[in-house]
Structure formats: structure tokens, C-alpha cells
Amino acid sequence: MNILQVNSSARTDDSQSTALANALVERIRNDHPEATLTLRDLSRVPHPQLDEVALQALFTPADKRTPEQAARVALDDVLIAEIKAADVVVLGVPMYNFGVSAQLKNWIDAISRAQATFRYTAEGPEGLLKGKKVYVALTRGGKYRNTPADTQVPYLQTIFSFLGMTDVHYVYAEGLAMGPEAAQNAMTSARTQIEELVVAPVAMAA
Ligand SMILES: Cc1cc2nc3c(=O)[nH]c(=O)nc-3n(C[C@H](O)[C@H](O)[C@H](O)COP(=O)(O)O)c2cc1C
């Protein structure tokens, strides 16, 4: 079983979402000690954004790309290979300005590629990243669960489902900026949510 851990905080150290992503991986490995772990730490190695240079590289046929364009596409290829190989995906996801971090958005832009991770058929879009379990550790300064201000969960639900990942579980740590006691309670509650996860075996990666 392959686990892919994606840290998407801007913080390299003392990240609350990374701490919970680590706890999720530990929890999963308790039940699956044989599992291998690939760590994609976007705080230490931020992925480049999808700018015009990247788009031009992606839309140039492989045999016509310049070495620079080939190198840019290769950066995305690595992330696509990682998620394709994963049976379980664990994400640490902080809320920044009511959305996901730029780091996470860049990762999502990189892995969302037609014919590689989704395709369109006569019946509509089909996600190609099937048979994976996804665990998301959400950390927030305020409390927005199940409110219209929580754009993160509907967004993640939509993009993961579009890519074929429908078995998605969320762990919440909210109120982290509401005083030390609230913060401690939120992290304790999140760790309890993690302990209570039922980690069922997963199908092999598609
Ligand atoms: C730049 C920035 C923007 C933030 N925006 C929000 C926000 O919109 N809503 C919220 O509830 N918390 C917000 N927070 C608080 C973070 O969500 C919270 O500190 C979270 O635990 C950070 O996770 P991390 O330690 O993994 O980076 C923000 C924090 C930072 C640094």
C-alpha cells in the first residue's frame, strides 16, 4: 500500500495542518505497517504556479517542446506519477483567506491534466484517479465548518470527485486563533477524530 502525504502549509516548521497530516499517516501506518510513504512537502519545495509559460509548455506537443518547456512539464509529471501510485492520499490543508493555500492550488493545477487524471467522454467528464482513499486535515483560525464561508470543503469535494476520488474523509481543527485553550481543544478533538478513523484496506491504485 502506498501513502502519499501532501503538506500544503506555507510553514515549514510548526505547521498545525502538517502536524495533523503526520498524525493521520501515523494512524494509517499503525494498521498498515507495510505501507510505503511518499512525502510531497509543498512548504519546503513549493510547486510553480500555472502561468503562461507553463500553459504554453503543456500545450506544445512533447516532441516540439524546448528543453525548458520539457523541464516545466516534467515537474508536473512527477506529481501526477506520485498520485497515480498512491492508494491513500493524506493532505494537510490550512485555511488561508477563506481558501486553500497557493501551494495546494498549484499542486491541484499540476495534477489535473486531461487524458492523465481525467478525460471527457460523450457522457461527460470521467476522473481517472479511482480506487483511492483521501484524508484531509483542515486547520482554521476561526470556525466555519458547514457554513457558506467554508469554500474549502465544497471545492476539494468537487475537484477530487472530478478526478475520480470520491472516498474522502475530513478531520477538522477549528478555532485555532480563538485563544490557547480553544486551540488546544481543537487539536485534541482533531487527534481524537484521527484515532477514531476506521482505516479499511484500499484497492490497489488504478
Ligand atoms: C495568511 C493567513 C491567512 C489566514 N486566513 C484564515 C482565514 O481566512 N480563516 C481562518 O479561519 N483562519 C485563517 N488563518 C489561520 C490559519 O488557518 C490557521 O492558523 C491554520 O492552523 C494554519 O495552518 P498551518 O499552521 O498548517 O499553516 C490564516 C492564517 C494565515 C497565516
Side-chain angles (χ1 to χ4, degrees):
M1 185 171 113
N2 299 322
I3 305 170
L4 171 64
Q5 176 178 349
V6 181
N7 299 339
S8 72
S9 172
R11 293 189 173 101
T12 49
D13 299 311
D14 302 323
S15 157
Q16 290 165 307
S17 58
T18 298
L20 293 179
N22 290 341
L24 273 163
V25 168
E26 201 176 309
R27 171 73 187 85
I28 294 164
R29 285 179 123 179
N30 274 347
D31 284 5
H32 298 276
E34 79 293 350
T36 59
L37 174 66
T38 299
L39 176 62
R40 175 54 54 185
D41 191 339
L42 300 170
S43 68
R44 291 183 195 280
V45 185
H47 198 75
Q49 64 180 319
L50 186 59
D51 57 11
E52 188 169 23
V53 170
L55 272 184
Q56 278 174 348
L58 286 161
F59 284 102
T60 301
D63 59 347
K64 300 236 161 36
R65 285 178 191 140
T66 65
E68 292 75 21
Q69 287 178 323
R72 177 62 186 84
V73 174
L75 290 176
D76 289 3
D77 289 344
V78 171
L79 302 196
I80 289 171
E82 284 176 356
I83 195 155
K84 276 186 157 179
D87 303 298
V88 178
V89 184
V90 173
L91 295 115
V93 177
M95 179 181 275
Y96 289 159
N97 303 315
F98 294 96
V100 298
S101 66
Q103 285 82 346
L104 184 58
K105 183 61 168 58
N106 291 343
W107 179 79
I108 289 170
D109 286 342
I111 64 162
S112 305
R113 187 190 294 171
Q115 314 313 327
T117 56
F118 71 91
R119 67 179 165 215
Y120 273 93
T121 70
E123 283 74 48
E126 180 191 4
L128 301 177
L129 296 175
K130 293 177 185 158
K132 301 177 194 305
K133 263 188 186 297
V134 182
Y135 296 97
V136 184
L138 300 158
T139 57
R140 287 114 181 244
K143 295 188 179 186
Y144 300 105
R145 185 177 185 168
N146 296 330
T147 75
D150 183 357
T151 60
Q152 287 183 308
V153 170
Y155 168 63
L156 292 174
Q157 201 75 12
T158 300
I159 186 68
F160 289 150
S161 160
F162 180 77
L163 297 175
M165 296 177 283
T166 51
D167 191 1
V168 188
H169 305 262
Y170 297 92
V171 168
Y172 292 78
E174 294 201 298
L176 294 169
M178 296 169 70
E181 197 181 327
Q184 196 177 356
N185 288 343
M187 290 302 274
T188 303
S189 159
R191 288 179 188 281
T192 304
Q193 294 168 53
I194 289 168
E195 283 314 308
E196 288 170 353
L197 283 178
V198 176
V199 186
V202 293
M204 294 309 290

